Amino acid sequence: MSEQSQFSLLRARRFAPFFATQALGAFNDNAFRQAMIVLVAFHLGLSDQDVGFYSNIAPALFILPFFLFSASAGQLAEKYEKTRLIRYVKLFEIGAMALAAYAFHAHNVWLLFCVLFLMGLHSTIFGPIKYAILPQALTREELVGGNGLIEMGTSLAILFGMIAGGALMALGQGGPTAASILVIGIAVAGYWVSREIPPAPATAPDLKFNWNIFSETARVFGFVRKNRVVFNAVLGISWFWFFGGVFTAQLPNYTKLFLGGGESVAILVLALFSIGVGAGSLLCERMSGHKIEIGLVPFGSIGLSMFGIDLYFARPELSVAQGLDALAFLTAAGNWRIALDLTLIGVFAGFYIVPLFALVQSRAPRNELSRVIAGNNIINALFMVGAAAFGIGLAKLGFTIPQIFLATAVLNVLVAIYIYTLVPEFLMRFLSWILINTLYRIRTDGLDNIPERGPALLVCNHVSFMDALIVGGSVRRPARFVMYYKIFRIPVLSFIFKTAKAIPIASAKEDPALLESAFDAVDQALAEGEIVCIFPEGGLTSDGEIAPFRQGVERILARRQVPVVPLAIRGLWGSIFSRRDSAPGRMRLPRRFWSRIVLAVGEPVAPADASAAMLEQRVRTLRGNWA
């Protein structure tokens, strides 16, 4: 997969039918809701007060099933084969849409709200299946690309569904019939496509189903909180829904009052945002090098705040013009800036959300993932309710819509600072990603040789001051690095090394106490199931060649028997940070910038077979003739 485009998944049966099923479901959900909005707001002759009441109660009815049934949905997705569950969910959708068709023609508002509740239930049940089935169908290297495609397909399906549902219902007397044919037809198509999804076996078939929704909800929160990285990723996903909820709730009135736009401008605004999300989601795979790169999350949050703040300054006052169509809006002075802000907010939203979903899927235990997703959905719903209250509260305080955008973007900065202080791994990976992708072009080979779980010792040649960042930024699991204490203390980089829990070491002559504490720390890390990376040469190469490996690796293995994985960095010699002057601590100007380098990973070596000389030879072989 690492050499293939993510679009190759669209030709694979293990992904394509599921992708289509998900996209059709998102399309139909939004087509129904938009058709319902148009019918209630424009076709039933209701008062503005009644329309306002129905507009406020609709989101609550759709979200309510997430609170009531997410925990049960998580159990279903663990206990039973997922493809069969998907087919049942799609049959349920057909029934709900048939009921919607009757409600459209009968102009029965309360029946439409019942259908809205049922569609919320449909999404509640499908959610844990949707995100838990991907790790079963895709390899780890495909998770980012697969999630990117799902987010892209979903965002575009939402846009096209809203356009189609609203446009058909607006046809007049034939609107209810046209909208009914659409939603029933799409539901049927979704069912038939779902029949092509390959089987996805139950991950916890012996699970005892808990019918008590309250105790099970508390239990799924326990699954979410069990792994700190997963929990913080879930909080990050939920914050995204808060941020997006505030923005999207304001867009209709923002379009009318501050952009002076009509219906076509409202569609354009949604299109720009949706296209941005799709583009950002797809770019994640290329920018992350086919791996789960949580360094993109801070990058995404920076963009969300930056362009959210700029959206305020682009148009802080009410528009003088009114009723503009899309073309008139785009040709008016200053509006390209607004269009660019909306698009880039979507792009950075994709950078933010895709790695977080992939992180949850990769770090949560496979037999608990559906329940973790169920807990995520409940927390998402809480944050969405909070977003609605936040927007209403600021409006009551007299904030204009651009001021609400500004307040949300500034709050995003404060939340990001708090999260990245609480969990520095995100910021550390971001800084590593920026440094590595600015200075080098990296290709990896053999990353699958590093065990996904359990302890392991990585041994690598030592070419530059950036070796730890290159290895740490490429290896999928967090690694503890043993490094010379003077490198550990380099300004700026020291923050990254401390955050990564690197282990400083010195020679016996320099600091025997630090040497002993380093070996103790390595043993403790391996005992706790972590991976540790050492550079057995004992220092940077002075001529580009691999120096003899020292005996420290054997001392580590004497205390803790773990597999040893050899690594070799190729093509780094002579690039930036790889050479030093004769004067200690001073670097020469590099011969090469943005170098093309390779991190090669060999097969694991059993601890009984590992020696310093043998591992040195393995690393030499991996490096080959590259300097």
Side-chain angles (χ1 to χ4, degrees), residues 81-88 129 133 194 197-200:
E81 196 272 320
K82 294 180 181 60
T83 302
R84 181 177 297 178
L85 288 175
I86 291 174
R87 292 168 187 165
Y88 289 150
I129 303 171
I133 201 173
S194 73
I197 301 174

Side-chain angles (χ1 to χ4, degrees), residues 165-222:
L168 291 179
M169 185 59 76
L171 289 176
Q173 289 186 347
T177 300
S180 299
I181 293 172
L182 175 70
V183 296
I184 293 176
I186 294 296
V188 171
Y191 169 73
W192 283 109
V193 171
S194 73
R195 294 178 63 86
E196 297 300 315
I197 301 174
T203 51
D206 297 327
L207 176 70
K208 184 177 180 180
F209 198 90
N210 181 8
W211 292 97
N212 187 320
I213 60 174
F214 301 105
S215 64
E216 188 60 28
T217 297
R219 192 175 176 211
V220 297
F221 282 144

Side-chain angles (χ1 to χ4, degrees), residues 492-508:
V492 180
L493 295 183
S494 63
F495 166 78
I496 299 176
F497 297 146
K498 289 177 182 177
T499 302
K501 299 181 181 179
I503 302 168
I505 195 169
S507 67

Side-chain angles (χ1 to χ4, degrees), residues 373-396:
I373 296 297
N376 167 76
N377 290 345
I378 296 172
I379 298 172
N380 289 174
L382 288 170
F383 273 69
M384 290 170 70
V385 172
F390 180 77
I392 293 170
L394 291 186
K396 292 288 186 183

